[in-house]
């Protein structure tokens, strides 16, 4: 075959692949996006700049690296090329009532350095794709995404393109490292950032870490002999001493406005800041309608927090997620045995689990992440593993397999020793399944704990665990209480098998939670894993020898391996539910500015208390009728996946987890916080009771 003919044939075969290349531009309802490159041709291993230009609809905006009080930063996920981080132009302040966001209007350009693979062949095509996601907001916020691509020839040497000058202009608009040193000093309400630039008439600092500063609080500029100083109130998650506070400082002088990137370590003794209440300080005209949120965790004190945690843990035993586990252990006390040892083993399992949970929360908090009660259920992988665990427990109770002798501990000394291990494991299981539940009195104690040093936080969590373990501990150590239990008999085996069904029901619930997080594909993988677990147990029961053992282990390993394919999917819009709107800080601020009544429900698919409240109270026809009669807008915030903005709202109202119910009456100075356990009458009474008007000052 001749060379020209071979080239023509290759071009013909490549034509369908070229047709599949992603386009360099695409449009959604509110944003037109395109990729702009500095190159007309690229060389193997070359690094060059690509810009994502967004042409945003008038009066709408997207978000910066740190979106501020609400919002979500634009993200770019590259395939087919190595890409550096986004280089962000200077943001602007997007104020909506008391809410202050950082973002862009008009035509911002986000720059990224892209590297061509070193093994790219001259004569080939370089065709990377970029999955671009953004949140675009006005009075409502809409998540949008597009797939864009480049199609550049690979040559021995790169060749600049017609847009190289445009890329250079955009690069010049990216804030550069400051040519001067800045200092951070402790201030009463936060930190003082200072620098040597003379003649500064206006300054503003955009922190690139959420919660490091109070976005909505004013920053006071002061002139100093050595230059300027900017007092910056601390935010909801101020950085620890020694951690770098970095961002962009915008300085205005007689020569114009200039933005610089700066960074300095947080000083010792920096003020605790205005706290959650001051995060709603009005930042623009019209913000006077903001209502300060209470921060009861700061006033609670250690002794009351420990008492509330103990009481909350005690009430957790009555929650539908924990009660079946407690019943399993209570059944063991019906028989003769070392009740005290089993009680201590169960308590040790609970306390160790709560200590481990506190340790994880402490580590996450030290890393700058927002955390709350039940945070681990944000992970679909954790939900899947717990579903597998409860499925195994259910199969064990149904009699499909035994672990270490009889369930009730009757047998040899070996079985008794394994009974203690079973008690310990049951304590661990009780702690695990308790985390999606929130009992009364827990909220204030946990909110206090999450704002305290590690030792105090650990003490509160151990008090909560002790409350959870207390009923079984009392039964184990108080013989008189054991007389309340029924006598042993054949009914015990039947009751044990009956207890398997709450476990199976819990598995169904967890699969429903997984459906919200990972969609139908996630549920299909989970069901496949359950089949593999059942198959492994069948092989273990029906076969013997090395082969059967190997198949059992392989099946269980493959079941756990399904977690690697679990991928989160986009959240379902709450507007799919009749008369319910998705929560956003902007929407809430807009409704309050219009003096309209608002009911806010912060919930999660894995929160059993939340689901029960929605079924027995919020979904009742008489409640819907009361909402309609009062003209109430119902906003629903979904915390099924981790959402720092909802976490901030919870903390601002003294809660560490869901549920949280807020009612903003027309003209009310602040939200009315409803109890964590609802009834239709309680909700109707709350929305029908007049509240004090807002202050006119």
């Amino acid at each position: 075959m001749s060379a020209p003919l071979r080239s023509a044939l290759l071009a013909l075969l490549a034509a369908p692949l070229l047709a599949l290349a992603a386009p360099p531009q695409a449009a959604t309802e509110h944003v037109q996006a395109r990729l702009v490159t500095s190159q007309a041709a690229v060389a193997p291993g070359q690094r060059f700049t690509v810009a994502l230009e967004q042409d945003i609809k008038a009066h709408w905006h997207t978000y910066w690296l740190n979106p501020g009080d609400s919002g979500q930063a634009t993200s770019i996920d590259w395939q087919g090329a190595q890409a550096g981080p986004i280089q962000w132009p200077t943001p602007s302040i997007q104020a909506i009532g008391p809410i202050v966001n950082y973002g862009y209007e008009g035509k911002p350009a986000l720059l990224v350095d892209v590297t061509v693979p070193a093994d790219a062949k001259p004569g080939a095509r370089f065709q990377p794709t970029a999955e671009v996601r953004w949140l675009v907001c006005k009075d409502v916020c809409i998540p949008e995404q597009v797939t864009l691509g480049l199609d550049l020839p690979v040559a021995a040497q790169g060749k600049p393109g017609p847009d190289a000058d445009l890329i250079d202009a955009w690069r010049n608009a990216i804030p550069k490292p400051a040519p001067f040193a800045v200092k951070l000093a402790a201030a009463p309400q936060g930190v003082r950032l200072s620098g040597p630039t003379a003649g500064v008439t206006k300054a503003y600092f955009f922190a690139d870490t959420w919660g490091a500063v109070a976005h909505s609080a004013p920053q006071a500029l002061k002139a100093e002999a050595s230059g300027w100083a900017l007092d910056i109130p601390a935010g909801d998650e101020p950085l620890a001493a020694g951690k770098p506070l970095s961002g962009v400082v915008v300085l205005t002088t007689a020569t114009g406005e200039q933005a610089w990137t700066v960074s300095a370590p947080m000083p010792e003794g920096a003020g605790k800041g205005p706290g959650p209440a001051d995060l709603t300080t009005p930042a623009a005209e019209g913000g006077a309608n903001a209502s300060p949120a209470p921060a009861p965790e700061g006033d609670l004190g250690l002794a009351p927090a420990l008492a509330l945690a103990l009481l909350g843990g005690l009430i957790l035993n009555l929650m539908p997620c924990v009660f079946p586990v407690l019943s399993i252990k209570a059944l063991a006390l019906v028989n003769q045995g070392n009740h005290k040892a089993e009680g201590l083993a169960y308590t040790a399992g609970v306390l160790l689990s709560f200590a481990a949970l506190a340790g994880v929360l402490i580590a996450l908090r030290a890393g700058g992440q927002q955390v709350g009660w039940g945070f681990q259920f944000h992970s679909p992988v954790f939900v899947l593993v717990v579903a597998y665990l409860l499925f195994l427990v259910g199969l064990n109770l149904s009699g499909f397999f035994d672990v270490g002798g009889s369930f009730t501990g009757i047998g040899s000394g070996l079985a008794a020793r394994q009974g203690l291990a079973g008690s310990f494991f049951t304590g661990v299981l009780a702690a695990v399944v308790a985390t999606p539940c929130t009992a009364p009195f827990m909220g204030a104690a946990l909110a206090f704990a999450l704002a305290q040093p590690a030792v105090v936080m650990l003490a509160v969590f151990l008090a909560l665990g002790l409350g959870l373990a207390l009923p079984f501990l009392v039964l184990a150590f108080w013989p008189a209480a054991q007389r309340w239990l029924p006598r042993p008999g054949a009914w015990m085996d039947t009751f044990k098998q009956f207890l398997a069904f709450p476990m199976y029901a819990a598995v169904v619930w967890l699969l429903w939670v997984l459906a919200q997080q990972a969609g139908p594909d996630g549920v299909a993988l989970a069901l496949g894993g359950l089949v593999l677990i059942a198959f492994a147990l069948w092989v273990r029961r029906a076969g013997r020898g090395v082969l059967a053992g190997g198949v059992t282990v392989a099946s269980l390993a493959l079941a756990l391996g399904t977690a690697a394919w679990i991928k989160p999917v986009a959240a379902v819009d709450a507007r799919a539910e009749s008369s319910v709107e998705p929560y956003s800080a902007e929407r809430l601020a807009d409704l309050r500015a219009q003096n309209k009544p608002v009911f806010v429900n912060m919930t999660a698919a894995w929160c059993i208390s939340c689901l029960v409240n929605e079924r027995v109270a919020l979904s009742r026809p008489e409640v819907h009728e009361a909402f309609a009669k009062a003209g109430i807008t119902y906003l629903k915030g979904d915390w099924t996946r981790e959402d720092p903005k909802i976490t901030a709202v919870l903390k601002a109202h003294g809660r560490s987890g869901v549920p949280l119910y807020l009612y903003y009456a027309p003209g009310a100075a602040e939200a009315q916080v409803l109890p964590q356990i609802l009834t239709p009458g309680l909700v109707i009474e709350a929305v029908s009771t007049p509240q004090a008007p807002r202050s006119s000052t």
Side-chain angles (χ1 to χ4, degrees), residues 274-281 291-295 652:
D278 291 337
L279 287 178
T280 56
T281 300
S291 61

Side-chain angles (χ1 to χ4, degrees), residues 526-542:
L527 293 174
L530 295 178
V531 171
L532 286 170
I533 290 173
F535 177 72
L537 296 178
W538 175 78
V539 170
R540 177 180 177 274
R541 188 172 184 175

Side-chain angles (χ1 to χ4, degrees), residues 367-382:
Q369 297 191 35
Q370 296 192 84
V371 290
W373 180 250
F375 75 97
Q376 64 271 41
F377 278 85
H378 292 146
S379 167
V381 173
F382 182 84

Side-chain angles (χ1 to χ4, degrees), residues 375-455:
F375 75 97
Q376 64 271 41
F377 278 85
H378 292 146
S379 167
V381 173
F382 182 84
V383 171
L384 178 64
V385 171
V386 175
Y388 287 169
L389 176 63
L390 294 185
F391 184 60
L392 281 168
V393 172
L395 291 177
N396 175 251
L397 294 174
S398 295
F400 287 102
F401 74 102
D402 292 317
V403 178
S406 67
F407 176 79
T408 57
I410 302 174
S412 66
L414 177 62
R417 180 170 58 83
Q418 290 174 333
L420 294 181
S423 295
F424 178 86
F425 170 77
T426 308
V428 174
L429 179 63
V432 170
V433 299
T435 52
C437 289
T438 302
F441 307 108
M442 279 178 57
L446 289 173
F448 169 83
L450 293 174
Q452 301 303 312
V455 174

